[in-house]
Amino acid sequence: MLYSKYKWRIRSAESSITGQLAEELSLPPIVASLMASRGIQSAVDGREFLYGTLELTHDPYLMQGMQEAVPRIRKALEDREHILIYGDYDADGVSSTSLMIHLMRYLGASYDIYIPHRSNEGYGLHNHALDWAHQQGVSLVITVDTGISAVEQIAYANSLGIDVIVTDHHEPPEVLPEAYALINPKIPTCPYPFKGLAGVGVAYKLAQALVEEPPEEWLQIVSIGTIADLMPLTGENRVLVKHGIESMRNTRYEGIRCLLEVSGIHVEQVTAVNVAFSMAPRINASGRLDHAGRAVTLLTTEHREEAERLAWELDGLNKERQQVVETIVQEALGMVQNRWRGQEIPPVIVLAGEGWNVGVVGIVASKILERFYRPVVILGIDPESGNCKGSARSIPGFDIYAALLSCKESMEHFGGHPSAAGMSLHRDRLEDFERGLIRYAEKALKEEHLIAVCEADLEASISDVSLSIIDQIEQLSPFGMENAVPKIIFRNAVIKDVRKIGKEGKHLKLRLQQKREVIDAISFGCGHLADILPAGTAVDVLGELSVNEWNGSRKAQLMIQDISAPYQQVFDYRGIQEPIQEIRRWVADLEPHLRCPAVRAAVVYAKDSHPDIKSQLYDMCLWVYDRNAGIMPENEAAKSSQQDISVLFVLDVPETAEQLEALMSAFHSVPNIFMLHPTRNLRERLQIPNREQFKKLYVSLARLTNAPMAENEVITRLQKQTSLSSRMLFKVLDVFEELAFIQRADGMITFISKPEKKPLDASRHFRELNDLADMEQHLLHAGTEQLTEWLMSRTKGVS
């Protein structure tokens, strides 16, 4: 049984609304159903969703603070004041700063920019930066994607005679700074109707107010920041991003064009998904491992050569970032294992490490969250100062910003959203900080919050998803937060082919079939699942549809997000080399899919066959075959966990049918069974005995043994007359001896000429041979399908 990573929940879509949308908008039912599941209730809403123009955006003067900000900026322009654009180092901050540069150039302003260094300075407005601005003659600071929490810093700016206009979209604190103007739709008194703008979206509204009709190409920059900052692609954001992506397909911005080319994306085919997974990580890499100014220069340069150089530099930084992340993730996973070995993991995971690059801790937090599905805080500790900087990532239903607010006394600074946040504190406060978060989580988190849920749009058959349907689904783009790429469930699809692809076999490629219809499917990062998804396996899959274009050919393709095989399975690895090493690897790699932590993994073997097993698999449930009891627990783990076993590894074949019966009885409900026992030479196979065969052997034996003969000699001669193995012939002699047809003594055999007549099945050895031969026929020599059916039949009805 392959468990899904998520609980699948299908969005509801009323059939009446689906029918209405399909009819009035001339849509295929599957596309109309996808729209209805996204909350579109009428054809009017549907037309706006599909064909909405920039006329649907809101008046920027509805934004509180705009009436004060615009005249102040106009005055600065008229008086040739020097303006400082103060940004942030993430992709939204980079985009916001870049947009303001385009605006300043358009307005002919005298300006500078400042973005703090993530590692050396940290998030937010800093007094030393204001001192520098004052020395440069700055009299007006405009913050983008930051500033709403900078109470003390803005007070300091005021004391220097510098006016500050804040444009931000982060959660406002209880006490707001006394800035010249605060522009943030999330301020409780702000009447602006759409609250989901990114920092670059708020900056764009300021540009709209100043320019009235900004160049449409500026929306390319808005798209990047909005998508990268995981803002909802609904309402006004959808309109801005949709037009931005369309503009990007004909971009004249050299930086955007080069970044797309470096990412392997055809500029004319760019999508919001490409921005999220290819462009945004490279832009973010600049601020994570270097300085974000490099990415700002890329997005604002007008020179092709400079753009090419910077794009390749960001690509290199992104590769370096990936390696740094992987190293920290492995260290963090080791910490989890060591800190909570054998214990329940707390509702919030807080991990801190010396030297961890604070530029990537947010990504690490996301990966640890995905592994354990609970809120995570990852902090890098400066070993000299003891200062910690970290990032938090949360799960639906748990507001991490509110959680941080509950223990704000432990931190020097914090800020963020309900799903992601950042903070700084001293290592001496780490324990208080962790206790405070756990205390809050124990009250706020419920059991259902800790179950990962993946929302699917609908169930379908492979026959439902033609290329034309996939093309029409694309009308629902741009896809992103709150308008996700449609996820579709396909049930009972049979795997026709399975392969590991990519570097080191990291990815999984399947060919799935339902009836006569076939589709290729890819699962990134899941190459290890090939070990438990052999051809012929029936699976349920949840995935996203795409089109694979190659050499002018277009084929439907499924990008798998989750997969399950909802039935008991047997995995045939008979004769595998280094089985103990493989068991360790499987338990580590497949635990989320087989739910097999060491305490729920059972290993059955013949005593003394694997002398090092206790030291290598000490934390698993070890069982050995026993002549009397069938199987016996060999360690303490086995004595306490038998009923909770999720995977069984069989290292050796049972010696008797009774041992097999005991094995099947003890583990009849185990979802996954791995057969790892050695194979045996066919020349040593046992055959299921029959009376005619035994009659012929009896006659042959009578001819051979007129006088006592050495047993080995008898076996040699009988082998020449039959096709039976020596092992089989020894078993036959055991039967004849038990029935008093022969006598054995000192390695010699004497034939009894007139024995008492007895039926063969009166012999216990005959009955055992029958059972043993049948067992070995299946365990050692049957094909995988026959072996599986036989084992499954043995578990049915056993309790």
Side-chain angles (χ1 to χ4, degrees):
M1 178 179 290
L2 177 65
Y3 294 94
S4 58
K5 292 186 297 183
Y6 306 101
K7 179 181 178 181
W8 299 354
R9 186 165 61 202
I10 300 177
R11 292 189 181 97
S12 60
E14 289 187 27
S15 58
S16 60
I17 295 175
T18 297
Q20 178 188 353
L21 293 174
E23 181 179 354
E24 296 189 27
L25 299 176
S26 300
L27 296 171
I30 193 170
V31 178
S33 177
L34 291 171
M35 291 181 66
S37 70
R38 281 159 166 69
I40 296 170
Q41 300 292 304
S42 69
V44 172
D45 292 341
R47 286 191 183 91
E48 286 191 359
F49 184 86
L50 293 173
Y51 313 117
T53 67
L54 290 172
E55 292 178 358
L56 294 174
T57 60
H58 304 296
D59 182 348
Y61 282 98
L62 292 174
M63 195 88 72
Q64 181 175 315
M66 199 68 76
Q67 294 282 0
E68 294 77 23
V70 170
R72 178 65 185 88
I73 296 172
R74 292 196 190 284
K75 180 178 184 300
L77 294 170
E78 291 170 5
D79 296 346
R80 299 300 298 167
E81 294 181 54
H82 198 47
I83 301 170
L84 178 68
I85 307 301
Y86 193 104
D88 186 30
Y89 39 67
D90 68 0
D92 188 15
V94 165
S95 301
S96 304
T97 305
S98 300
L99 179 68
M100 293 302 288
I101 289 174
H102 287 293
L103 174 64
M104 293 294 107
R105 289 175 179 173
Y106 187 91
L107 296 173
S110 169
Y111 73 95
D112 254 320
I113 68 165
Y114 192 99
I115 297 178
H117 191 285
R118 183 190 289 259
S119 300
N120 299 337
E121 297 173 277
Y123 177 80
L125 193 59
H126 298 285
N127 285 351
H128 65 263
L130 292 170
D131 287 334
W132 172 84
H134 185 58
Q135 292 169 7
Q136 302 302 311
V138 168
S139 54
L140 175 63
V141 171
I142 303 173
T143 73
V144 286
D145 194 36
T146 190
I148 196 63
S149 299
V151 175
E152 295 178 2
Q153 293 81 5
I154 289 176
Y156 183 68
N158 293 338
S159 72
L160 296 175
I162 299 175
D163 291 336
V164 179
I165 295 172
V166 171
T167 73
D168 201 353
H169 73 129
H170 292 93
E171 297 292 333
E174 295 176 5
V175 178
L176 295 173
E178 294 184 4
Y180 190 92
L182 292 176
I183 303 174
N184 183 336
K186 291 181 180 174
I187 293 174
T189 54
C190 180
Y192 197 76
F194 185 71
K195 306 296 184 181
L197 291 171
V200 70
V202 178
Y204 180 75
K205 300 312 291 187
L206 177 61
Q208 265 191 321
L210 285 162
V211 178
E212 292 187 5
E213 292 187 12
E216 188 163 313
E217 59 192 10
W218 290 3
L219 292 175
Q220 298 174 35
I221 309 292
V222 176
S223 299
I224 293 171
T226 302
I227 294 167
D229 215 40
L230 304 180
M231 291 296 102
L233 296 192
T234 58
E236 188 168 16
N237 278 348
R238 174 176 172 80
V239 176
L240 296 175
V241 170
K242 184 173 183 178
H243 284 79
I245 295 295
E246 290 172 356
S247 174
M248 201 180 293
R249 290 170 183 157
N250 298 287
T251 185
R252 71 171 187 85
Y253 290 138
E254 296 291 355
I256 289 178
R257 181 172 291 276
C258 289
L259 192 56
L260 288 169
E261 291 172 355
V262 163
S263 304
I265 298 165
H266 296 294
V267 177
E268 64 277 5
Q269 296 175 350
V270 65
T271 67
V273 174
N274 298 144
V275 173
F277 292 100
S278 296
M279 294 182 72
R282 288 170 170 83
I283 292 171
N284 272 320
S286 178
R288 294 185 191 283
L289 299 186
D290 187 52
H291 191 280
R294 194 182 306 198
V296 171
T297 303
L298 175 66
L299 293 182
T300 55
T301 184
E302 297 177 352
H303 304 290
R304 175 75 184 185
E305 288 185 3
E306 183 179 37
E308 285 182 345
R309 174 179 59 80
L310 290 169
W312 282 110
E313 287 177 5
L314 293 193
D315 185 67
L317 283 172
N318 190 51
K319 288 183 171 66
E320 182 183 346
R321 185 271 307 168
Q322 290 171 331
Q323 185 56 55
V324 171
V325 167
E326 182 58 27
T327 300
I328 300 176
V329 165
Q330 292 306 315
E331 292 179 11
L333 288 173
M335 283 186 180
V336 173
Q337 184 177 12
N338 292 330
R339 284 191 66 183
W340 296 291
R341 186 185 300 274
Q343 304 176 41
E344 186 175 348
I345 295 175
V348 178
I349 296 174
V350 179
L351 301 171
E354 284 193 359
W356 284 358
N357 188 312
V358 298
V360 301
V361 289
I363 302 173
V364 175
S366 295
K367 291 183 177 291
I368 300 300
L369 182 151
E370 183 179 355
R371 176 67 176 78
F372 297 103
Y373 201 70
R374 57 198 63 222
V376 176
V377 179
I378 303 292
L379 301 113
I381 305 173
D382 184 325
E384 295 183 3
S385 65
N387 292 328
C388 306
K389 293 179 182 178
S391 287
R393 296 294 183 270
S394 193
I395 58 178
F398 186 79
D399 186 333
I400 192 66
Y401 181 82
L404 293 173
L405 194 61
S406 74
C407 53
K408 60 184 179 181
E409 66 283 349
S410 299
M411 296 172 288
E412 296 169 5
H413 181 270
F414 73 99
H417 311 290
S419 59
M423 73 294 298
S424 60
L425 64 154
H426 195 271
R427 71 187 309 165
D428 293 342
R429 305 303 304 273
L430 273 174
E431 288 188 16
D432 289 342
F433 174 65
E434 182 177 18
R435 278 196 298 267
L437 283 179
I438 292 175
R439 190 162 51 242
Y440 180 88
E442 286 173 343
K443 295 178 181 177
L445 270 178
K446 298 179 181 178
E447 189 173 340
E448 58 264 28
H449 291 144
L450 297 176
I451 299 172
V453 174
C454 184
E455 288 198 338
D457 293 86
L458 49 85
E459 287 190 25
S461 300
I462 295 175
S463 59
D464 296 330
V465 290
S466 62
L467 279 172
S468 62
I469 290 293
I470 297 174
D471 289 339
Q472 291 192 67
I473 289 174
E474 187 62 27
Q475 293 181 78
L476 308 185
S477 65
F479 296 119
M481 295 299 291
E482 295 189 26
N483 185 43
V485 177
K487 292 180 173 59
I488 302 176
I489 295 171
F490 299 88
R491 296 199 185 274
N492 201 32
V494 177
I495 295 175
K496 303 302 293 180
D497 182 56
V498 56
R499 282 189 294 148
K500 295 181 181 181
I501 61 172
K503 187 178 180 181
E504 300 176 352
K506 189 175 181 180
H507 310 303
L508 179 72
K509 183 172 184 179
L510 302 176
R511 193 160 175 77
L512 301 173
Q513 182 172 5
Q514 285 179 330
K515 298 180 180 179
R516 295 184 179 181
E517 301 296 330
V518 177
I519 191 170
D520 288 340
I522 303 289
S523 185
F524 289 113
C526 289
H528 56 285
L529 290 186
D531 292 341
I532 53 173
L533 289 173
T537 304
V539 293
D540 296 339
V541 294
L542 183 152
E544 301 171 354
L545 292 166
S546 65
V547 176
N548 182 22
E549 299 192 29
W550 178 254
N551 285 342
S553 173
R554 301 178 81 238
K555 290 174 62 178
Q557 182 173 258
L558 184 67
M559 312 308 292
I560 295 176
Q561 309 297 309
D562 204 2
I563 185 168
S564 73
Y567 54 88
Q568 190 177 35
Q569 288 182 278
V570 174
F571 303 106
D572 184 3
Y573 284 97
R574 290 173 291 183
I576 192 172
Q577 299 296 313
E578 306 292 342
I580 293 177
Q581 181 178 326
E582 291 300 317
I583 289 174
R584 265 289 175 212
R585 181 177 68 84
W586 280 322
V587 169
D589 292 349
L590 300 174
E591 195 281 326
H593 310 283
L594 299 182
R595 297 183 186 172
C596 57
V599 294
R600 296 187 63 197
V603 184
V604 181
Y605 60 101
K607 199 171 182 66
D608 301 327
S609 65
H610 300 278
D612 298 329
I613 194 169
K614 286 188 177 179
S615 61
Q616 295 184 47
L617 304 181
Y618 61 91
D619 50 351
M620 298 183 194
C621 304
L622 303 180
W623 294 74
V624 294
Y625 295 117
D626 181 78
R627 176 65 64 175
N628 298 315
I631 60 171
M632 293 281 288
E634 186 69 356
N635 64 357
E636 287 301 317
K639 294 176 183 177
S640 58
S641 300
Q642 182 178 350
Q643 299 304 315
D644 297 321
I645 297 302
S646 58
V647 61
L648 171 67
F649 299 102
V650 179
L651 280 177
D652 292 298
V653 172
E655 297 176 3
T656 67
E658 287 77 17
Q659 290 179 356
L660 175 67
E661 193 66 29
L663 177 66
M664 292 292 98
S665 178
F667 301 106
H668 65 91
S669 61
V670 172
N672 296 290
I673 302 173
F674 283 75
M675 306 304 290
L676 309 171
H677 53 268
T679 55
R680 188 173 285 160
N681 195 306
L682 275 173
R683 288 177 295 185
E684 292 300 309
R685 74 186 294 180
L686 298 179
Q687 293 185 10
I688 298 174
N690 61 66
R691 286 170 172 75
E692 189 63 29
Q693 182 186 63
F694 266 70
K695 182 179 179 180
K696 289 180 180 180
L697 286 169
Y698 180 82
V699 172
S700 297
L701 196 60
R703 291 172 182 165
L704 287 174
T705 53
N706 293 327
M709 182 181 289
E711 185 168 334
N712 288 338
E713 178 67 18
V714 171
I715 295 296
T716 300
R717 293 194 180 190
L718 287 176
Q719 270 191 294
K720 291 179 180 179
Q721 299 176 23
T722 70
S723 60
L724 301 179
S725 67
S726 59
R727 188 163 164 260
M728 178 71 180
L729 290 171
F730 277 116
K731 297 288 186 183
V732 169
L733 294 181
D734 290 340
V735 175
F736 286 163
E737 180 184 26
E738 183 182 0
L739 295 175
F741 294 170
I742 62 172
Q743 286 184 344
R744 278 166 154 170
D746 300 325
M748 304 294 287
I749 290 181
T750 301
F751 183 75
I752 299 174
S753 57
K754 293 182 180 181
E756 178 184 346
K757 289 186 177 181
K758 297 176 184 176
L760 284 171
D761 54 14
S763 164
R764 175 178 60 84
H765 284 97
F766 180 83
R767 297 191 300 273
E768 288 179 352
L769 175 59
N770 189 79
D771 293 340
L772 188 60
D774 178 69
M775 178 183 77
E776 290 193 0
Q777 169 64 33
H778 289 92
L779 292 180
L780 295 172
H781 309 298
T784 299
E785 186 175 345
Q786 189 180 3
L787 169 66
T788 300
E789 290 177 359
W790 184 76
L791 281 174
M792 293 298 97
S793 69
R794 303 293 298 230
T795 62
K796 289 178 181 176
V798 178
S799 60

